[in-house]
Amino acid sequence: MSKGPARVAGLQKLLEQNHIDCALIGPTTNMVYLLGIAPHSDERLCLLMISGDRVQMIAPELNADTISSFTDVEMITWTDAEGPGSALAGSLLRTLSPGTVAVDGSMRADFLLPVMEAFTPERVVSIDPIISTMRIHKSPEEVAILADAAAQADRAMEAAVEACRPGVTEQEIAWAAEEAFRKDGAEHVEFTLVAAGGNAAFPHHHSGENMLRKGEGIIIDIGASLKGYKSDITRVVFLGEPDKQFLKTYEVVLLANKKGRQTVKPGVSAEAVDSATRSVIEEAGFGEYFIHRTGHGLGLDIHELPWIQQGNEMLLDSGMVFSVEPGVYLPGKLGIRVEDIVAVTSDGVRTLTGYSHSLVIK
Ligand code: CO
Ligand code: CO
C-alpha cells in the first residue's frame, strides 16, 4: 500500500517531536491506518514497532505470508511451539531500553505485559492522542470512502424501514438491515440497534424479541464497515398515528440536528456544534432528556476524535468527519434520535448520509 510508508514516516516525525523512543501498535485500526492492513487479531503476540529510524513487526509465523503480501516491513516471526519470547528479545526494543514507549490504546493488555517485563521502559504513554492528530484529518480519498459507506447505510436503512410493521420483532428489523448491508458488499456489520416503544428511551438498547406494535415509535441506528471505514445513521419510524407529544418531540430533535449541522464549518469549535443542538432541545424544555454528547468522529473506528461535546474547544477543520446525533429520551415513553454523518469542507459542511429526515409514518 503506497499510503502506508508515508503515514509511518509522518508518525516517526511526531514521535521525535514528542520525545518518544518507540511506538507499539497492535493489530488494530491504528495498524490499518499506518500499513493499510492488520493481520487477524487473536491472543498471539503481534506488534508493529516504530522507532525514529526503524520499523519492525513481530508476528506469528502463520500470518507472515498475509502480512508480507501487503507490506515490506521488516518482520520477526515466531511459531506456536517456540512462543514470542526470543522474537521480542531480538527486536529493536532491545536497543532502546530504557526509554519512552507509546502504546496503542486498543491493543491487548497481554501484548503489553511481556514487553514491560522484558524491557522495563522508563515511561509508558498512549500513542492514541498522537496518532489521532493524523487520523482526525481525512484525505479526500478517505472522505470519498466514508461517503460511499454512508450511502450504503442509507440503503440498509431503507431495508430496515421497509421491514417495520406490527408483529415483527426488533431483531427481525435488525436482521433486515444486516442482510442489506452484507448483500451490498459491507465487509462487516458493526451494529444494528432497533428499539421500539419504551425501549427507545435507552440510547444503547440491545435489539431483542420485543415485538413492534401499532402506536409506537422505533429508533433504528445502524452502521457497517466498507473498505475499513465505518457508517452510522439513525432514523425514527412510527407505526400508526403519532400523538402530539411524539410529533412535537420529533420536530425538536430534527431542528436540533439541522441547527447542529448548519453550525459546522472550519474554525468553529466542536463544543459550539454541541451548544447549537443542545440549545434547541433546552429551549423546548427537554434539556434534561438529552443525555449524551452531540456526536463523535468517524473513520476506521466508529467512535474516534473529534468528540462533539461541551468542553472540547478544538477548532473544526476541513477533512474532519463526525456524527451529529441529538436525541431526547423520555423514560418509559419514547426515544427519538436523528443522526447524520458530516464532513467539514474548506468553507462549510457536507452531509454524507442522505436518507430522508422526515418521520417515517407507516
Ligand atoms: Co449511531
Ligand atoms: Co453515532
Side-chain angles (χ1 to χ4, degrees):
M1 283 232 155
S2 58
K3 272 176 199 145
R7 287 177 178 169
V8 169
L11 182 63
Q12 283 174 317
K13 232 181 251 168
L14 290 174
L15 293 181
E16 201 187 314
Q17 286 166 16
N18 289 279
H19 309 291
I20 288 163
D21 297 300
C22 188
L24 300 178
I25 311 287
T28 65
T29 53
N30 281 331
M31 193 184 286
V32 173
Y33 181 75
L34 292 167
L35 295 184
I37 55 136
H40 174 74
S41 168
D42 62 13
E43 73 287 355
R44 295 178 174 92
L45 183 83
C46 177
L47 272 183
L48 177 65
M49 297 170 294
I50 303 173
S51 70
D53 57 357
R54 285 181 79 184
V55 183
Q56 261 184 2
M57 174 116 93
I58 292 183
E61 178 72 35
L62 81 168
N63 291 334
D65 285 349
T66 318
I67 298 166
S68 54
S69 68
F70 279 93
T71 167
D72 54 5
V73 62
E74 181 191 338
M75 251 196 297
I76 310 176
T77 60
W78 58 274
T79 64
D80 286 345
E82 64 194 16
S86 58
L88 256 182
S91 73
L92 70 82
L93 273 172
R94 188 180 36 114
T95 64
L96 299 170
S97 187
T100 297
V101 167
V103 300
D104 186 340
S106 316
M107 83 184 197
R108 294 173 61 116
D110 60 4
F111 286 9
L112 181 59
L113 293 172
V115 171
M116 300 287 283
E117 253 169 50
F119 302 103
T120 54
E122 210 166 38
R123 204 162 67 98
V124 179
V125 296
S126 170
I127 194 69
D128 294 9
I130 295 165
I131 205 168
S132 290
T133 63
M134 298 174 73
R135 286 180 56 169
I136 201 169
H137 287 101
K138 270 71 178 177
S139 68
E141 293 78 19
E142 287 180 291
V143 174
I145 300 173
L146 283 159
D148 286 347
Q152 183 177 68
D154 288 344
R155 293 189 290 272
M157 181 60 75
E158 182 77 56
V161 167
E162 192 64 34
C164 286
R165 59 179 181 275
V168 169
T169 66
E170 292 169 347
Q171 262 171 353
E172 285 172 298
I173 307 301
W175 174 244
E178 179 147 0
E179 196 183 15
F181 269 131
R182 294 311 293 253
K183 283 185 175 163
D184 207 335
E187 65 232 17
H188 191 252
V189 179
E190 299 292 332
F191 56 92
T192 50
L193 184 157
V194 179
N199 284 346
F202 304 106
H204 281 161
H205 170 70
H206 287 273
S207 319
E209 292 298 320
N210 180 35
M211 230 178 248
L212 274 52
R213 279 181 209 87
K214 226 178 159 180
E216 279 184 353
I218 305 137
I219 279 191
I220 304 174
D221 184 354
I222 54 176
S225 180
L226 182 68
K227 295 180 190 160
Y229 287 81
K230 307 300 185 280
S231 57
D232 192 359
I233 182 172
T234 308
R235 290 294 186 265
V236 177
V237 177
F238 198 94
L239 297 181
E241 272 304 306
D243 61 21
K244 264 198 184 139
Q245 184 186 40
F246 198 95
L247 286 174
K248 157 118 206 293
T249 316
Y250 189 85
E251 254 170 51
V252 169
V253 174
L254 180 56
L255 183 63
N257 167 296
K258 281 185 183 158
K259 283 271 153 76
R261 287 186 288 128
Q262 282 163 3
T263 308
V264 176
K265 64 178 180 189
V268 163
S269 71
E271 69 176 356
V273 179
D274 185 79
S275 297
T277 65
R278 206 163 295 280
S279 61
V280 172
I281 291 175
E282 278 169 0
E283 277 162 29
F286 292 125
E288 63 184 297
Y289 303 111
F290 180 14
I291 51 181
H292 54 71
R293 64 190 172 207
T294 288
H296 53 83
L298 188 84
L300 290 167
D301 282 318
I302 306 167
H303 287 183
E304 58 180 51
L305 295 186
W307 310 123
I308 308 302
Q309 64 180 37
Q310 290 305 305
N312 187 3
E313 294 170 3
M314 176 189 279
L315 299 184
L316 300 178
D317 196 6
S318 151
M320 290 184 181
V321 174
F322 53 86
S323 70
V324 174
E325 49 178 309
V328 166
Y329 310 92
L330 304 179
K333 271 190 198 156
L334 61 84
I336 291 171
R337 179 167 68 254
V338 181
E339 173 177 30
D340 285 298
I341 301 303
V342 300
V344 186
T345 63
S346 56
D347 59 354
V349 62
R350 176 183 165 204
T351 300
L352 303 185
T353 33
Y355 196 86
S356 163
H357 288 90
S358 319
L359 173 64
V360 182
I361 299 176
K362 288 188 79 180

